Amino acid sequence: ENELADAVASMFGVKESYGVELDRERAQLGKAKLKKVINDSYTHLCTPEKAYSLIFLNPPYDSDTEYKRLEYEFLVEITPHLAPGGVLVYIIPHHYLLPKTARYLSYWYRDIRVVRFPDEDYQAFRQIIILGTKKDKYCADPAIEGELNKIPALPKESLPIIEANTHQYPMPYVNGTFWFRSKYLNPADCCQEI
């Protein structure tokens, strides 16, 4: 996953990267590559809305009682933090591009492209990568929603492989007050901040 985050940062020319990772070991690995990593749940993240030009979202593939699928919950909860014109890189299993996720993506994102991992990487989780640019405002797009709803039934061979994806997404310059922290204080992090 760190290698993929590196590749995404390189592809988009990202200068500063921040991460939230619940798993302690992966959070430590991320600290070597990113400007700052919070080892906590994303639900504890304190950061302004519309503050990011790119969000790399690889949610857990699981369910809960409120949203049903965590892939959808993460998308809904994180989208407000992406600036209009910002780029979403959203990784989910091919078969979990559910109708409500397709609708949400089509309402909030434009220039959507769906690609998959190469065969050797696709096998483990059958993941697809959804790329899109956040719209300035919420707006229905039934045509895109319909196209996205077809994706789960498509054979993997009909989706382009990420390496063949040459489409470029410009990223907006984001300016303003910025903070990135957990709402719970970690004494070790506080000492590093001083």
Side-chain angles (χ1 to χ4, degrees):
E1 194 170 320
N2 280 324
E3 292 82 18
L4 182 57
D6 283 346
V8 168
S10 176
M11 182 177 8
F12 289 99
V14 173
K15 303 287 188 264
E16 291 183 347
S17 301
Y18 299 83
V20 179
E21 175 56 57
L22 191 56
D23 181 79
R24 184 181 313 266
E25 193 173 301
R26 287 198 304 222
Q28 286 301 322
L29 289 171
K31 285 180 180 182
K33 306 253 183 198
L34 306 176
K35 181 172 183 171
K36 184 172 181 180
V37 174
I38 295 173
N39 179 206
D40 204 342
S41 168
Y42 85 95
T43 60
H44 301 159
L45 178 63
C46 291
T47 196
E49 291 190 354
K50 302 178 182 177
Y52 297 88
S53 55
L54 182 140
I55 290 184
F56 176 85
L57 187 58
N58 188 4
Y61 309 147
D62 204 352
S63 60
D64 71 0
T65 55
E66 182 180 351
Y67 283 94
K68 304 297 184 232
R69 292 300 313 171
L70 291 178
E71 299 89 348
Y72 178 74
E73 175 184 348
F74 273 60
L75 177 64
V76 169
E77 296 294 329
I78 293 299
T79 290
H81 298 288
L82 187 60
V87 178
L88 173 71
V89 179
Y90 181 47
I91 301 173
I92 60 172
H94 188 159
H95 59 284
Y96 282 138
L97 179 48
L98 303 176
K100 70 179 179 179
T101 305
R103 171 166 283 180
Y104 190 87
L105 287 165
S106 69
Y107 276 49
W108 280 106
Y109 293 91
R110 60 180 167 77
D111 303 326
I112 295 175
R113 288 187 41 91
V114 180
V115 296
R116 70 174 173 92
F117 284 93
D119 288 340
E120 61 275 7
D121 297 320
Y122 180 87
Q123 277 313 115
F125 298 106
R126 294 173 164 52
Q127 294 166 309
I128 57 174
I129 303 165
I130 301 168
L131 301 153
T133 301
K134 187 176 176 191
K135 296 177 182 178
D136 293 334
K137 60 184 178 183
Y138 181 82
C139 179
D141 190 332
I144 295 298
E145 181 181 351
E147 290 302 312
L148 289 171
N149 277 321
K150 294 176 187 175
I151 300 284
L154 293 176
K156 72 173 183 175
E157 293 77 20
S158 65
L159 296 172
I161 295 174
I162 183 70
E163 294 159 340
N165 177 26
T166 57
H167 185 78
Q168 295 296 312
Y169 286 87
M171 291 191 314
Y173 175 74
V174 179
N175 195 353
T177 305
F178 180 80
W179 62 90
F180 181 82
R181 62 181 176 269
S182 173
K183 66 181 176 182
Y184 297 106
L185 295 177
N186 176 328
D189 290 341
C190 291
C191 291
Q192 285 181 341
E193 293 289 327
I194 296 176

